[in-house]
Amino acid sequence: MNYPSKLVEDAVNEISRLPGIGKKSALRLALHLLGQEIQDVEELTKSLIALREKTVYCKKCHTISDTDICSICKSPKRDESLICVVEEVPDLLAIENTAQYNGLYHVLGGVISPIEGISPSDLNIDSLLERTQNGVKEVILALNATMEGDTTAFYLTKKLRKQGVKVSGIARGVPIGSELEYTDEITLGRSIAKRIMFD
């Protein structure tokens, strides 16, 4: 792609390094920024620098935060006897946006994957086991339905049951609005095995 300016080309190259942004989208964004007031672009720049310099990870649950302890862990309205374990921060945000969960969270920072050289010691598992020794009654494993997610769930279940903590997993099944004939066999099989009773 030919650019009318080296400055535009540099901006496009930097913006296109973001996930999900190709060169065409990056060019549209660069041209949009070029048409904005300089103050607006400066505000965007300042917020991005502050994001990188001031964002920390919560010392309890390991999610992103402005302070050492995040607002979820600090909230007196949360059920401290319940911890939902997720792989990464976007998973936490997805669950939180449902407004159906009122417990605490724990971000593992990934899953066990021998192929990629990720062992239990590379994840936030020790801090989870420490947290569950203080009045936690149930841990919900909200991990992705992958071989690595299932391996991690199996490992955590063994460790947590030794502590006498109830361990559950999120339900997996056929998405609402989908057709059975297009559902993969594993998902459909799990849906049949974990079927619910109608009252």
Side-chain angles (χ1 to χ4, degrees):
M1 188 180 291
N2 293 324
Y3 299 96
S5 158
K6 179 76 168 77
L7 296 172
V8 170
E9 182 178 359
D10 290 346
V12 167
N13 288 336
E14 290 303 313
I15 294 169
S16 67
R17 290 172 55 193
L18 296 169
I21 306 286
K23 294 282 186 182
K24 286 183 180 178
S25 295
L27 177 60
R28 278 196 299 275
L29 291 169
L31 294 176
H32 173 78
L33 291 171
L34 195 58
Q36 298 300 300
E37 295 290 331
I38 190 71
Q39 297 90 341
D40 295 336
V41 178
E42 285 173 352
E43 286 303 314
L44 173 62
T45 304
K46 279 190 236 174
S47 68
L48 291 174
I49 291 170
L51 170 74
R52 186 63 189 90
E53 290 180 346
K54 296 180 181 176
T55 300
V56 296
Y57 289 91
C58 176
K59 289 185 177 179
K60 283 189 177 181
C61 73
H62 307 286
T63 192
I64 51 176
S65 179
D66 298 338
T67 57
D68 285 344
I69 305 298
C70 73
S71 58
I72 294 172
C73 287
K74 277 188 213 172
S75 174
K77 296 178 180 178
R78 292 282 176 162
D79 181 355
E80 295 183 4
S81 70
L82 191 59
I83 294 179
C84 180
V85 177
V86 296
E87 292 178 26
E88 301 287 356
V89 173
D91 303 325
L92 181 155
L93 298 174
I95 293 170
E96 193 63 10
N97 286 334
T98 67
Q100 298 296 308
Y101 177 72
N102 195 39
L104 299 177
Y105 293 94
H106 192 87
V107 180
L108 291 177
V111 285
I112 298 168
S113 177
I115 294 171
E116 293 180 23
I118 302 171
S119 69
S121 62
D122 296 317
L123 305 174
N124 299 318
I125 291 175
D126 288 343
S127 57
L128 171 65
L129 298 175
E130 285 175 26
R131 290 179 72 193
T132 55
Q133 293 174 359
N134 300 316
V136 172
K137 293 177 184 170
E138 182 182 355
V139 170
I140 303 168
L141 301 178
L143 306 176
N144 290 322
T146 61
M147 188 184 307
E148 294 82 4
D150 289 346
T151 300
T152 306
F154 179 74
Y155 179 85
L156 290 174
T157 300
K158 280 178 60 179
K159 291 282 190 182
L160 291 164
R161 284 194 176 145
K162 284 181 185 175
Q163 295 183 342
V165 177
K166 179 181 174 186
V167 182
S168 62
I170 57 171
R172 297 175 180 172
V174 179
I176 292 172
S178 66
E179 296 182 30
L180 291 184
E181 68 178 294
Y182 301 114
T183 305
D184 67 275
E185 291 86 1
I186 294 173
T187 300
L188 192 53
R190 282 181 172 158
S191 299
I192 294 292
K194 303 291 182 182
R195 62 192 177 277
I196 58 171
M197 299 302 292
F198 290 118
D199 292 332

